[in-house]
Amino acid sequence: VASAIDAAWDDVKRPGIVNFVVDTSGSMNGQKLKEAQLGVTQALDGMARNNQVGFVSFNEAVTNTVEVGPLAVNRFPVAEALDGLRASGGTALFDAIKKGIEMVDSAEGDEDAIRAVVVLTDGLANEGSTTLQDLIRMQSAAEKPICVFTGFTDDARDCDGAAVREEEVIGTSLAVETRHAVQIF
């Protein structure tokens, strides 16, 4: 019975729509980038066949995308994109996450699908036009809404203008309008 349940798991579990967002900025050069590439490859190998996947890489801009599609179709285009990654430039982290959110949200698929963006990065955002507050609604540990926090510098402020230490900032929900719930990891 356990063997039959295990064999049927891919057919009965909720499908996932996942976009991998990989940092290729200069600080990812060497082992960090290799580990990110290996991590995405192993994730693809371990995914249920009813999932959909997409891919975004970024440095100072979003540089490479594979539109979200069935795992069986996208496994090799994503692997090819991974093999071509080279580290250079700055880190437009929030632009890339926003692109990943847009891609999984707009993907056709089961309405009950788990939609997620998986981000592999080592750095802090230092480039791009999207800020942290454009992506995430935040509050302080004292439950006061955060009205300013770009994520580029330690500039978090509540709506009264009081400074909030970065470690006291709590994300509460996406600030990006989506049709579906999207989780960011």
Side-chain angles (χ1 to χ4, degrees):
V1 171
S3 179
I5 291 171
D6 188 46
W9 180 245
D10 283 355
D11 298 322
V12 298
K13 76 170 236 13
R14 282 176 53 192
I17 300 174
V18 180
N19 202 339
F20 294 97
V21 176
V22 178
D23 182 353
T24 62
S25 65
S27 63
M28 290 289 289
N29 194 35
Q31 192 62 31
K32 292 177 186 178
L33 185 56
K34 288 177 187 174
E35 288 176 7
Q37 291 166 308
L38 180 61
V40 173
T41 299
Q42 289 177 338
L44 291 172
D45 291 345
M47 283 186 147
R49 63 182 176 269
N50 64 343
N51 287 345
Q52 294 186 58
V53 296
F55 178 80
V56 171
S57 64
F58 69 97
N59 50 24
E60 65 269 358
V62 174
T63 55
N64 193 359
T65 61
V66 175
E67 289 301 320
V68 175
L71 178 62
V73 173
N74 275 4
R75 178 184 306 274
F76 295 109
V78 170
E80 188 175 300
L82 284 167
D83 287 343
L85 296 180
R86 302 292 175 263
S88 68
T91 309
L93 176 61
F94 305 133
D95 288 352
I97 293 171
K98 183 177 181 186
K99 178 67 173 176
I101 292 168
E102 291 167 350
M103 289 170 66
V104 296
D105 186 48
S106 65
E108 295 297 323
D110 190 320
E111 286 301 312
D112 290 337
I114 299 166
R115 294 172 187 260
V117 176
V118 177
V119 183
L120 292 93
T121 184
D122 73 334
L124 301 172
N126 60 15
E127 301 268 351
S129 60
T130 305
T131 65
L132 183 59
Q133 67 199 37
D134 295 331
L135 294 177
I136 309 273
R137 288 184 187 92
M138 297 167 275
Q139 70 180 29
S140 69
E143 298 186 9
K144 289 184 137 193
I146 302 292
C147 288
V148 176
F149 191 22
T150 64
F152 293 110
T153 59
D154 190 18
D155 61 353
R157 300 207 169 270
D158 67 23
C159 295
D160 296 328
V164 177
R165 291 191 348 246
E166 185 175 338
E167 57 272 8
E168 293 179 359
V169 176
I170 301 165
T172 59
S173 64
L174 284 180
V176 177
E177 294 296 322
T178 60
R179 295 180 313 155
H180 307 94
V182 177
Q183 298 177 50
I184 302 172
F185 298 94

